[in-house]
Amino acid sequence: MAGFNTCTERREQMESEPYLLPLHRRAGRSLFSILSERRYAGYVFLAPALIYLIAFSVYPLLYSVNVSLRQYILSKPYLGMPWVGLENFWRVLSDSHFHYSLAATLYFTVAAVSIELLLGLGIALLLNRPILGVGIIRTIVVIPMMIAPVVVGLSWKYMLDFDTGVLNYFIRQLGIQPPNWLGDAKAVIPALVITDVWEWTPLFVLLLLAGLQAMPQEPFEAAKVDGASSWQSFVHLTLPFLRPFILIALLLRVIDSLRTFDIPFVMTAGGPGRATEFASLYAYRQAFSYYYVSVGIAAAFIILIVITLLSNLLVRALPMQEVEE
Amino acid sequence: MAKQKGTIAVCLLIVVGLLAGLLVPGAAPAMAQEPVTIKAIMMQGGGWVGVTRELIPDFTAKTGINVEIEEQPYGALKDKAILEMSAKTGVYDIVVLDTAWLAEFAEAGYVADLTPLIEKYKTPVDGYLPPQAQACVHQGKYYALPFEIDTRVLGVNMEMAQAAGITEPPKTIDEFVDAAIRMTLDKNGKNPRDPDFDKDNIVQYGFVHTGLSGPYIALDFAPFMWGMGGDILRENGPKDFTVVVDSPETIAALTMYTELLTKWHTSPPASTTFEENQQCDVLRLGKGAMGILPSPSHAGHLNGSLGFEDTKVKGKFKFVPTPANPPNKPKTRTGIWAIFIPADSKHIDEAFQFAQWITTDNEAAVKYAKLGGASPWMAAWSHPDVTAVYPFLPEVMEVMLVSWAEPPIPEWGQIRQIFGEMASEALTQQKTPEQAVKDAAERMRQVLKDAGYPNP
């Protein structure tokens, strides 16, 4: 800023830009007029988002950290909330059923996401071709994703019913004894995988189709001129170009599957026995069935750490490499 | 500049709005004087919900008080109720729940002590079935009023029994297992003892489990455990319980209960996921011969009560105490869905008036029973209009009067949940009965230990 030549110039400048005045010389001005000054305006613009974030994200997060380090039993409020340090975390980590829950969650995630990726890629490649009615087919393909998971769970619960389910009806027509999908501990996780694949394959289709349509055509034309086969083009061009899209889709779905709750809650309530008590359901049960709220929160934090670690591993395993020249 | 000032004004308004919303959560617009409406939360699918809805207009006409019912699935009902009660939102004036949680709610201060209101309105509590009324008492005070009976009985389709050469309902566990096997038939009419039995083409099941994990299977399996001399907890004295579930008797009972499905195929494979209504449907459609039933409501369903008129077994079922091998006696829990009034309800008095009216008003209780509800009001069960519709009532009354009260401890709901998971793990062959019982005992001991019991 240029220097002031005279006192008059300085006064005139200050009158035109009142925020240059020290606070004690702004007496008598309204709060609105002060907040309208340029130096405060930024804070005012930020304030709604900041207050919202603090009230609904930061404060609950800090509060839940605090509760996880205390003993809080919802059904026994008269016991107060005594400090127990890391005891809740130790309790969760030493519970063999939590180990099972994590393992079952991983099994479900790996199985569901792998199938969704393969199916999604296949359908996206099909829909990327100029076929009749492709617009309608794309719309139909994404419908499952638009349905609320609870509705999906209830619908599949009926479709997978041992006696009256439509799936077992067709299996019986083939002369095969169908599995007891939701009542047999060996069949129940595959049943949930089928449901999840039905609902979430469209997400892979959408993202991968977007990736396929954004690809430059020149490298494919060059490869064709050089005599590359379709398979070679797919492996050496399509897949590398799709890599960032696959990574995003995988990340979204892996995170979502690791914290899956609604479908098993509706379809099996964690059963038979505790066979489908996935990690999120384990945390829920601790907090809202047994009322050990602090243990439930500790379990949720452990799940959060596991999800963060796995997501990082995934990002490292699938770097966004450039297509080789 | 003017545009910026406008934006700043909008931001400030949002800030003020957010702060007002956060700091003054109780602020609500004043409402004009309206008739009182009490809000009740009940279990979705509970036969009594429809019956209660039929009665509400009578209550409203009499008192001017409106009653709204919100239905929630069983799994969400307790969670939602306890979250609202612990947060003191005052959303519900009536919560209809199983008395398994009565001690827990009473000690947490979530539900109102109804004793003063019982004195104020001179509620004739002596007219209730005594065990069911007692289940609503904790440390000498009423924390609920009994509403819908859920005591278990063994239902036996006597037509199917006689066709299998069985003339009387089974009294012992051995007779029961034999009857279950003999009444299981494949499409050629052979039972599982026949070497040519076709287990893939069963047309009639001898005993239908209510096998869904949790409270459902807990209530289905427990009578057999008691009948074979097992138990869950032993009471040593006040606030002193010991876990005794890992006894040879319980293991033997769980083995028998599991083998009915896995070895003898007396139950549909899907019964490992059956809730009570699904089990009752199999019996009602004539595909099952025996089942442990909540009485007398499901007994009513089998005989064609409101909403179940399509029954194929009307008049064919006999209801008897659950089987027991001597010297053990038949034992079944005093199940009762009770009306709780949350301590933070803004209409405690009105809610109590409704609870009292629907459970003790003779006319209301008789209408409730006639429509298929299971009122705890004794006079309703001897009323000629009701006995004409349900001639089996004396049979189930016999069981209800000798039923067993669950331990009045806050941890009971959790212990029962673990017990149910144990039975489900064995029934679905995830664990052997020995392992399932051992693991459950460890978990139960941890629960009691955490709660400070001296000899868990």
Side-chain angles (χ1 to χ4, degrees), chain B residues 156 158 160-170 175 178-180 182-183:
Chain B
V156 184
M158 288 312 293
M160 291 178 181
Q162 279 153 9
I166 300 161
T167 51
E168 285 296 316
E175 286 172 6
D178 179 61
R182 284 164 65 184
M183 287 194 276

Side-chain angles (χ1 to χ4, degrees), chain B residues 32-318:
Chain B
Q33 192 73 25
E34 284 178 7
V36 171
T37 298
I38 55 176
K39 188 164 183 182
I41 181 169
M42 298 185 185
M43 185 181 77
Q44 194 176 54
W48 60 90
V49 181
V51 175
T52 305
R53 282 212 167 95
E54 293 276 324
L55 267 76
I56 286 173
D58 296 351
F59 176 72
T60 305
K62 198 170 180 179
T63 62
I65 300 168
N66 297 318
V67 184
E68 278 178 10
I69 298 178
E70 177 186 323
E71 291 182 64
Q72 287 289 338
Y74 181 80
L77 175 67
K78 183 190 62 150
D79 298 350
K80 190 158 171 58
I82 200 167
L83 280 176
E84 299 291 352
M85 290 193 292
S86 63
K88 301 192 190 318
T89 59
V91 168
Y92 300 116
D93 304 300
I94 282 177
V95 173
V96 175
L97 271 175
D98 190 331
T99 49
W101 296 293
L102 185 116
E104 198 169 311
F105 289 172
E107 292 194 14
Y110 292 156
V111 291
D113 172 9
L114 303 184
T115 318
L117 288 163
I118 287 172
E119 286 164 8
K120 177 182 168 186
Y121 286 102
K122 298 187 172 35
T123 310
V125 287
D126 293 342
Y128 292 128
L129 284 159
Q132 282 67 21
Q134 196 52 39
C136 297
V137 176
H138 182 63
Q139 295 175 349
K141 294 176 180 171
Y142 275 90
Y143 284 94
L145 291 186
F147 178 49
E148 169 80 16
I149 296 163
D150 189 17
T151 309
R152 306 282 146 151
V153 292
L154 177 69
V156 184
N157 185 319
M158 288 312 293
E159 191 178 79
M160 291 178 181
Q162 279 153 9
I166 300 161
T167 51
E168 285 296 316
K171 287 195 172 67
T172 67
I173 298 286
D174 300 338
E175 286 172 6
F176 163 76
V177 173
D178 179 61
I181 294 169
R182 284 164 65 184
M183 287 194 276
T184 301
L185 302 174
D186 69 8
K187 64 179 181 182
N188 300 316
K190 297 188 187 307
N191 74 44
R193 288 205 180 99
D194 194 306
D196 297 328
F197 176 72
D198 180 1
K199 68 180 174 63
D200 294 330
N201 286 294
I202 299 172
V203 293
Q204 179 181 300
Y205 292 99
F207 170 75
V208 185
H209 291 85
T210 304
L212 187 65
S213 184
Y216 303 96
I217 192 170
L219 300 175
D220 200 58
F221 167 61
F224 297 109
M225 176 194 66
W226 288 317
M228 291 176 76
D231 211 337
I232 305 172
L233 300 179
R234 183 184 66 228
E235 187 171 4
N236 309 314
K239 199 68 183 159
D240 185 4
F241 287 83
T242 300
V243 174
V244 293
V245 78
D246 47 350
S247 65
E249 290 83 3
T250 303
I251 293 169
L254 192 52
T255 305
M256 178 279 293
Y257 184 78
T258 303
E259 284 184 349
L260 284 176
L261 176 72
T262 58
K263 183 179 174 185
W264 299 110
H265 311 288
T266 68
S267 191
S271 63
T272 52
T273 60
F274 276 4
E275 298 174 14
E276 289 142 3
N277 286 342
Q278 291 166 294
Q279 176 237 33
C280 190
D281 283 346
V282 175
L283 301 176
R284 193 163 52 83
L285 298 174
K287 292 181 179 174
M290 290 194 289
I292 299 289
L293 296 158
S295 66
S297 57
H298 282 214
H301 297 175
L302 295 178
N303 281 288
S305 58
L306 185 69
F308 300 91
E309 295 84 354
D310 61 344
T311 182
K312 294 182 176 171
V313 294
K314 191 169 184 175
K316 294 177 183 173
F317 265 80
K318 192 164 185 179

Side-chain angles (χ1 to χ4, degrees), chain B residues 363-378:
Chain B
E363 201 179 321
V366 167
K367 189 172 177 184
Y368 183 88
K370 273 173 69 181
L371 288 169
S375 171
W377 186 241
M378 278 192 291

Side-chain angles (χ1 to χ4, degrees), chain B residues 434-448:
Chain B
E434 291 84 356
Q435 192 60 45
V437 166
K438 183 172 167 275
D439 291 351
E442 271 177 34
R443 290 175 65 200
M444 288 179 190
R445 287 197 178 99
Q446 188 63 46
V447 171
L448 293 189

Side-chain angles (χ1 to χ4, degrees), chain A:
Chain A
M1 185 187 286
F4 296 108
N5 295 329
T6 62
C7 287
T8 315
E9 278 179 12
R10 180 182 164 83
R11 191 166 57 247
E12 282 171 359
Q13 175 73 17
M14 283 184 165
E15 278 168 5
S16 66
E17 295 186 49
Y19 61 85
L20 293 173
L21 285 169
L23 279 173
H24 69 275
R25 294 194 45 199
R26 299 184 212 170
R29 295 177 55 213
S30 70
L31 180 66
F32 182 74
S33 144
I34 294 169
L35 291 175
S36 301
E37 291 167 12
R38 195 180 298 166
R39 71 159 73 167
Y40 298 117
Y43 296 111
V44 176
F45 290 144
L46 274 178
L50 210 61
I51 291 173
Y52 184 86
L53 204 66
I54 290 171
F56 296 107
S57 288
V58 178
Y59 174 73
L61 185 73
L62 294 177
Y63 186 79
S64 59
V65 170
N66 182 27
V67 175
S68 73
L69 300 170
R70 296 170 179 276
Q71 186 201 58
Y72 178 38
I73 304 174
L74 194 61
S75 59
K76 296 179 182 174
Y78 48 86
L79 294 179
M81 290 171 64
W83 180 267
V84 294
L86 294 173
E87 197 182 301
N88 294 322
F89 289 87
W90 175 244
R91 181 172 167 159
V92 173
L93 289 170
S94 58
D95 181 353
S96 60
H97 190 70
F98 183 67
H99 305 159
Y100 170 81
S101 289
L102 271 183
T105 311
L106 283 175
Y107 166 37
F108 168 78
T109 301
V110 170
V113 175
S114 311
I115 298 170
E116 284 161 18
L117 172 63
L118 290 175
L119 274 180
L121 183 59
I123 297 171
L125 286 168
L126 277 177
L127 293 182
N128 196 37
R129 289 163 181 267
I131 48 176
L132 190 67
V134 72
I136 295 169
I137 298 172
R138 277 181 202 158
T139 310
I140 292 169
V141 164
V142 298
I143 284 175
M145 208 174 71
M146 312 288 185
I147 303 173
V150 172
V151 178
V152 171
L154 282 173
S155 309
W156 275 92
K157 186 178 177 180
Y158 291 114
M159 287 198 282
L160 292 169
D161 187 89
F162 179 78
D163 290 317
T164 57
V166 68
L167 195 64
N168 280 3
Y169 169 78
F170 286 116
I171 293 175
R172 284 194 187 97
Q173 294 302 305
L174 298 172
I176 303 168
Q177 182 63 20
N180 183 7
W181 293 105
L182 302 178
D184 180 345
K186 292 186 191 79
V188 70
I189 295 183
L192 296 181
V193 168
I194 291 171
T195 309
D196 196 77
V197 165
W198 183 82
E199 186 177 17
W200 291 113
T201 297
L203 182 74
F204 279 89
V205 175
L206 271 187
L207 289 172
L208 300 185
L209 192 59
L212 287 170
Q213 295 187 340
M215 276 183 196
Q217 289 307 304
E218 293 80 3
F220 290 90
E221 285 161 8
K224 205 171 181 180
V225 170
D226 290 345
S229 66
S230 300
W231 175 250
Q232 283 171 323
S233 287
F234 175 71
V235 172
H236 297 291
L237 290 173
T238 309
L239 278 184
F241 273 125
L242 274 183
R243 198 186 290 266
F245 294 91
I246 292 174
L247 177 64
I248 289 167
L250 276 179
L251 262 181
L252 287 174
R253 283 301 304 136
V254 165
I255 292 171
D256 211 30
S257 298
L258 286 171
R259 59 187 182 84
T260 194
F261 176 82
D262 30 30
I263 287 180
F265 184 75
V266 170
M267 290 178 72
T268 64
R274 300 172 86 188
T276 54
E277 197 178 287
F278 292 155
S280 297
L281 199 49
Y282 174 94
Y284 169 84
R285 279 268 160 83
Q286 293 294 329
F288 299 114
S289 292
Y290 307 146
Y291 305 127
Y292 296 139
V293 175
S294 43
V295 178
I297 294 174
F301 276 120
I302 294 169
I303 297 164
L304 178 70
I305 292 166
V306 170
I307 291 177
T308 310
L309 287 175
L310 287 176
S311 304
N312 272 316
L313 277 176
L314 198 62
V315 172
R316 283 167 199 271
L318 280 170
M320 295 200 196
Q321 294 166 346
E322 292 294 321
V323 179
E324 287 173 22
E325 290 296 326

Side-chain angles (χ1 to χ4, degrees), chain B residues 5-16:
Chain B
K5 281 195 171 179
T7 313
I8 287 174
V10 170
C11 286
L12 285 172
L13 273 174
I14 294 171
V15 168
V16 171

